[in-house]
Amino acid sequence: MKIEHDLHMIKGDGDTSYARNSSTQRKAILATKHMVEKAMKGVFMELTPQLMVVADLGCSSGTNTLLFISEMIAMISEENTSDNNIRECPMEVQFFLNDLPSNDFNHIFKSLGQFEQSIVQDCARRGLKPPPHYGAGVPGSFYTRLFPCNSVHIFHSSFSLMWLSQIPEHLDSTMNKGNIYIGVTTPPLVAKLYLDQFEKDFSRFLQFRCIELVSGGQMVLTFLGRKSNDVVHGGGMMNISIELLSQAVQTLVAEGRVEKEKLDSFNLPFYGPSVDELKQLVQQSELLDIIDIQAFELTFDPIDKSELKEGITTAPAIQDNVHEATGYNIAAGLRAVMEPLFASHFGESIIDDLFTLFACNVIRHLASAEEMSSVTAISLSLQAKVASNQTLHSPILITNNLAGLLVKTMKIEREFHMAKGYGDSSYGKNSRNQRKAILTTKAMIENAIKEVCTDLQPQSMVVTDLGCSYGANTHLLISEVIMAISNKNAMNNSTMEVQIFLNDLPSNDFNHIFQSLEQCKQSIAQECASRGLQPPQYYVAGVPGTFYNRLLPYKSVHLFHSSFSLMLLSKVPEHLDSCMNEGEIHIGTSLPLFVRKLYLDQFEKDFSWFLQLRFRELVSSGQMVLTILGRKSDDTGRVEKDKLDSFNLPMYRPSTDEHLVQQSELFDIVDMQIRGRFHCLVTLGSGLVFTMNTDPTDDSELGEATAIAGRRGQWP
């Protein structure tokens, strides 16, 4: 069993999906709302951060993921506007959503647009204004490092930390025959191996989070656990459910549909701890103070109206039978969580029958049970031991009305993305020109990194790739950045960490990026080893959204990179309708001059706005390397004819004579040079205008593109 590959909830929003069958998890989030609010207020009052960084570990996908963010935004909105905390600049919030690479991040990112609308409506209803907030997805196991040192204010995790990093060490197929977890017939040695693995995992989790927490930061962790130290019976309906699921597998073994060896070799990577075990492990770590710890019961009752409103899936024909309704509901809930693990080990062909048998087992159990079914949840509130008082500087007040300046981009955000997958027509197989552009600007990226390291000497460098797409080119940029910093660290005997944000529209295939990161990491490790270098600690996160909006907190980024993206407009030019560009899909030779002017106006508006937004996000003296598919002169080229006169590409290829950088007065251009056949625009170090052969099968030359390396000026 490969945990990072096989452990994930059922994706999408179908009848068996986690999104439709996770009401118990939702109730746990709501039940701990007061603890999260207390932690947020504690951080707010003690540290007074201008930017609060919140990480949700094991976020999964669906409404529960967005519920936690929604609750946090509402709390911070109230805190920003309370009489005691009115400040010139409202606190900003950065959310990191973490789960294993196999999680359905695409589903989360695509639902963010609708979620933002609901946030605005909810805050307006309460008479509140939502704080500026920015989201990112972080793929990876929370049993490894995920964030730079001292960078997170609040960690949250709900119903995730009972999942182990692996099957308990030394547990083999001869030790727990006929069981899939700790059952009635499980030997005490097996239970001890489970406890040992949980202790090892949770201790490591605490160590990593304390490195990443700011001094005085807090954590709220909710476990599916046990109400007593009895490891077999103390877990209530959760232990019983797993036992009944094990019996369902045994039935399939008896019918000859599953091999007995398959059952004996399968053990869940799961352990529900008790309150005493959690207390002991936190105290042994000597890293955190326990603020609060609570154990509470959550019912599976499907007749609960509050649950039915959340879309619980039950069989309509059996609504009049409480036991049957509960049994099917429990089966649906457990299937949404367990199916991928069971399908990977036993095969997909048995899944429907397995969970039908399981539902019948649950119904029989409930008919003879004396109490209503419930599970035990344990919520733990922790605070990192305070080493010293921290003072954070507030940014200048940004007075622009962002809502009034933002362009309407939702249609493009939904429909514009590269062809996914690795088929013959996919971007993955047809993006060699884009790769050449990245390789050509490698020297500019290296120079920008060197200057940032020399001028700013950051302990942790933040690099953002705007319009990252997916596939080998995305990995190439990550590799180039890591290799450049590896060289710099080796020269300066430094241990600088790196945080890399990968940005693209929500419709981009982030799932593909995250699931291929491990292969990318192995390649980087091998390349560093071949050069005798040590790669820095680095952390990758995905940031869904258009780069014509704010994406990241104020003054948080050291280096922005973008390649072959900024010629794509935020929308089709304003005031351009179907009668103006008949027979063309872009700027053709027969195009009226005023239509060309509309394209130029839209590009000027978009690019100027882009520069303003990035200026706010860049640290002082931070840098940008931007590569744009452009023109060598002011002459606009011919494109292919299209049948639909109403279709116009939201793209504009600029020339070097369109001096938008100078007009912005935000970035410095030091020099402009022509070197042989290469036109070179130098901005604080280097810049390049180059011509490239656009044959994707020819690696010998480079194509028509404009690259600009820019540096953020000081605040006036």
Side-chain angles (χ1 to χ4, degrees):
M1 181 188 299
K2 295 180 179 179
I3 301 295
E4 293 205 8
H5 179 268
D6 297 332
L7 179 58
H8 60 83
M9 310 299 102
I10 295 182
K11 301 178 181 182
D13 54 7
D15 288 342
T16 63
S17 68
Y18 177 82
R20 295 281 294 275
N21 297 280
S22 54
S23 66
T24 301
Q25 293 89 331
R26 182 178 183 86
K27 286 194 288 185
I29 294 173
L30 293 173
T32 58
K33 176 181 175 181
H34 67 288
M35 296 181 73
V36 175
E37 185 171 9
K38 185 178 179 181
M40 185 275 297
K41 288 183 177 180
V43 169
F44 194 102
M45 296 301 294
E46 291 186 29
L47 305 179
T48 61
Q50 187 58 43
L51 168 68
M52 183 176 284
V53 178
V54 180
D56 188 21
L57 305 175
C59 65
S60 191
S61 63
T63 56
N64 290 349
T65 306
L66 303 180
L67 172 64
F68 169 69
I69 301 176
S70 176
E71 294 294 339
M72 283 296 299
I73 289 176
M75 291 175 194
I76 293 172
S77 299
E78 292 176 350
E79 201 65 29
N80 274 342
T81 56
S82 67
D83 293 337
N84 296 329
N85 294 307
I86 294 176
R87 54 169 86 180
E88 187 180 28
C89 263
M91 179 171 61
E92 296 185 319
V93 193
Q94 185 168 34
F95 291 100
F96 288 104
L97 301 176
N98 157 257
D99 214 314
L100 294 175
S102 52
N103 184 53
D104 195 354
F105 285 96
N106 283 356
H107 187 274
I108 298 174
F109 293 167
K110 289 176 182 177
S111 61
L112 284 179
Q114 182 178 357
F115 170 71
E116 287 293 335
Q117 294 176 6
S118 70
I119 288 289
V120 172
Q121 293 170 357
D122 183 53
C123 285
R125 180 177 55 82
R126 302 189 197 186
L128 301 171
K129 183 177 181 180
H133 53 277
Y134 318 95
V138 180
S141 168
F142 45 55
Y143 296 122
T144 64
R145 282 287 303 279
L146 294 168
F147 303 97
C149 297
N150 305 314
S151 63
V152 180
H153 294 91
I154 294 178
F155 279 113
H156 172 265
S157 182
S158 186
F159 277 25
S160 297
L161 279 163
M162 61 276 178
W163 291 105
L164 304 174
S165 66
Q166 62 179 61
I167 304 299
E169 286 186 295
H170 313 301
L171 177 59
D172 61 42
S173 59
T174 65
M175 301 173 71
N176 199 22
K177 292 184 177 181
N179 295 298
I180 62 174
Y181 182 52
I182 303 172
V184 176
T185 62
T186 295
L189 172 61
V190 173
K192 180 64 166 57
L193 291 177
Y194 266 98
L195 174 59
D196 290 347
Q197 187 63 49
F198 177 79
E199 290 180 344
K200 182 183 298 184
D201 282 347
F202 189 56
S203 297
R204 183 168 50 183
F205 172 89
L206 294 177
Q207 292 173 23
F208 288 144
R209 299 299 79 80
C210 281
I211 294 172
E212 297 163 345
L213 268 176
V214 300
S215 181
Q218 297 201 27
M219 296 197 289
V220 178
L221 313 174
T222 304
F223 302 76
L224 195 57
R226 310 193 313 273
K227 56 186 175 183
S228 74
N229 290 327
D230 184 346
V231 71
V232 177
H233 303 101
M237 194 60 198
M238 178 48 61
N239 279 56
I240 293 170
S241 294
I242 297 177
E243 180 78 14
L244 296 174
L245 184 57
S246 180
Q247 292 174 13
V249 181
Q250 292 171 17
T251 299
L252 294 177
V253 171
E255 293 176 354
R257 299 183 59 189
V258 171
E259 297 176 1
K260 185 177 183 302
E261 292 75 12
K262 280 279 189 181
L263 171 57
D264 293 341
S265 63
F266 182 82
N267 290 281
L268 284 173
F270 175 97
Y271 184 81
S274 68
V275 171
D276 290 340
E277 289 167 349
L278 289 172
K279 281 184 178 179
Q280 183 178 357
L281 289 172
V282 173
Q283 291 165 355
Q284 286 176 355
S285 75
E286 299 182 350
L287 298 170
L288 302 114
D289 296 317
I290 297 177
I291 297 175
D292 194 9
I293 185 166
Q294 299 179 10
F296 52 94
E297 300 295 305
L298 295 173
T299 179
F300 273 119
D301 184 3
I303 307 303
D304 184 343
K305 292 182 180 180
S306 65
E307 288 187 33
L308 288 176
K309 287 180 181 178
E310 302 303 334
I312 297 297
T313 302
T314 56
I318 48 101
Q319 289 290 342
D320 58 339
N321 187 315
V322 174
H323 290 154
E324 288 189 11
T326 304
Y328 278 98
N329 186 56
I330 291 174
L334 205 62
R335 176 174 182 171
V337 175
M338 299 285 193
E339 178 178 317
L341 286 175
F342 279 80
S344 174
H345 187 81
F346 295 103
E348 295 183 359
S349 62
I350 68 154
I351 295 300
D352 288 341
D353 291 343
L354 171 63
F355 284 96
T356 298
L357 287 169
F358 170 58
C360 293
N361 290 347
V362 175
I363 292 168
R364 283 194 296 270
H365 168 78
L366 294 176
S368 61
E370 297 180 359
E371 299 179 357
M372 178 58 68
S373 60
S374 64
V375 295
T376 301
I378 303 170
S379 195
L380 185 62
S381 182
L382 305 170
Q383 183 174 32
K385 293 184 182 294
V386 179
S388 61
N389 293 328
Q390 296 182 354
T391 57
L392 299 177
H393 300 285
S394 299
I396 65 170
L397 179 64
I398 299 173
T399 58
N400 299 64
N401 184 352
L402 297 182
L405 292 173
L406 292 180
V407 292
K408 296 179 180 179
T409 59
M410 289 310 299
K411 189 173 182 181
I412 288 181
E413 287 196 21
R414 184 178 67 249
E415 297 176 356
F416 184 78
H417 56 81
M418 306 300 102
K420 298 180 180 180
Y422 273 93
D424 290 342
S425 61
S426 69
Y427 177 83
K429 282 198 172 181
N430 297 277
S431 54
R432 297 180 74 181
N433 285 330
Q434 293 88 333
R435 183 177 182 86
K436 293 180 202 175
I438 295 173
L439 291 172
T440 301
T441 57
K442 176 181 177 181
M444 297 173 69
I445 296 170
E446 290 178 347
N447 189 63
I449 289 173
K450 288 178 182 177
E451 291 200 12
V452 168
C453 291
T454 301
D455 294 347
L456 304 178
Q457 299 180 347
Q459 188 60 39
S460 176
M461 179 178 286
V462 177
V463 179
T464 302
D465 188 21
L466 303 171
C468 66
S469 192
Y470 77 97
N473 292 346
T474 308
H475 294 165
L476 176 61
L477 187 276
I478 296 174
S479 177
E480 296 294 347
V481 168
I482 297 304
M483 294 308 300
I485 293 176
S486 297
N487 280 314
K488 195 67 179 174
N489 279 349
M491 291 173 60
N492 297 340
N493 195 24
S494 170
T495 57
M496 182 175 64
E497 297 182 316
V498 191
Q499 186 162 39
I500 300 175
F501 289 106
L502 301 176
N503 156 258
D504 213 314
L505 296 176
S507 51
N508 185 51
D509 195 351
F510 284 95
N511 282 358
H512 188 280
I513 296 175
F514 293 165
Q515 290 166 16
S516 59
L517 276 179
E518 186 58 35
Q519 183 179 358
C520 176
K521 289 181 179 180
Q522 293 175 4
S523 174
I524 289 172
Q526 292 171 359
E527 179 68 15
C528 284
S530 69
R531 301 187 190 185
L533 298 172
Q534 178 67 36
Q537 291 286 340
Y538 61 99
Y539 316 96
V540 179
V543 180
T546 170
F547 44 57
Y548 296 121
N549 284 353
R550 277 289 299 276
L551 294 167
L552 296 159
Y554 171 82
K555 292 183 73 172
S556 62
V557 180
H558 298 93
L559 173 64
F560 277 112
H561 171 268
S562 182
S563 185
F564 277 27
S565 296
L566 280 164
M567 64 281 178
L568 295 164
L569 305 176
S570 66
K571 60 180 178 180
V572 173
E574 287 185 295
H575 313 302
L576 178 60
D577 59 40
S578 59
C579 66
M580 296 181 178
N581 200 16
E582 294 185 7
E584 302 289 349
I585 63 172
H586 191 226
I587 302 174
T589 55
S590 61
L591 191 68
L593 288 177
F594 75 90
V595 175
R596 302 185 191 190
K597 182 65 166 55
L598 289 177
Y599 268 98
L600 174 58
D601 289 347
Q602 187 63 49
F603 176 77
E604 289 181 344
K605 182 182 297 183
D606 282 350
F607 191 60
S608 297
W609 183 232
F610 171 89
L611 293 176
Q612 292 180 49
L613 296 173
R614 301 297 80 80
F615 183 77
R616 292 169 184 168
E617 296 165 342
L618 267 177
V619 302
S620 294
S621 299
Q623 299 211 12
M624 296 198 296
V625 179
L626 312 176
T627 305
I628 306 170
L629 190 63
R631 311 190 314 275
K632 291 185 290 186
S633 69
D634 287 338
D635 182 29
T636 53
R638 173 88 176 162
V639 298
E640 304 245 340
K641 186 177 177 69
D642 193 274
K643 295 181 180 179
L644 296 178
D645 294 336
S646 61
F647 180 79
N648 292 281
L649 285 173
M651 182 177 79
Y652 181 81
R653 295 180 299 145
S655 72
T656 56
D657 294 327
E658 290 158 359
H659 301 298
L660 297 177
V661 176
Q662 295 97 320
Q663 291 173 8
S664 75
E665 298 183 352
L666 299 172
F667 297 86
D668 297 321
I669 295 181
V670 175
D671 194 9
M672 180 176 290
Q673 302 177 6
I674 297 177
R675 298 180 181 175
R677 63 187 293 257
F678 295 98
H679 300 276
C680 190
L681 175 65
V682 184
T683 61
L684 285 168
S686 62
L688 181 65
V689 179
F690 54 89
T691 301
M692 177 170 86
N693 181 354
T694 57
D695 181 358
T697 64
D698 185 357
D699 290 326
S700 60
E701 295 186 38
L702 301 177
E704 194 174 310
T706 301
I708 303 175
R711 183 174 185 172
R712 183 191 195 279
Q714 301 291 332
W715 284 103

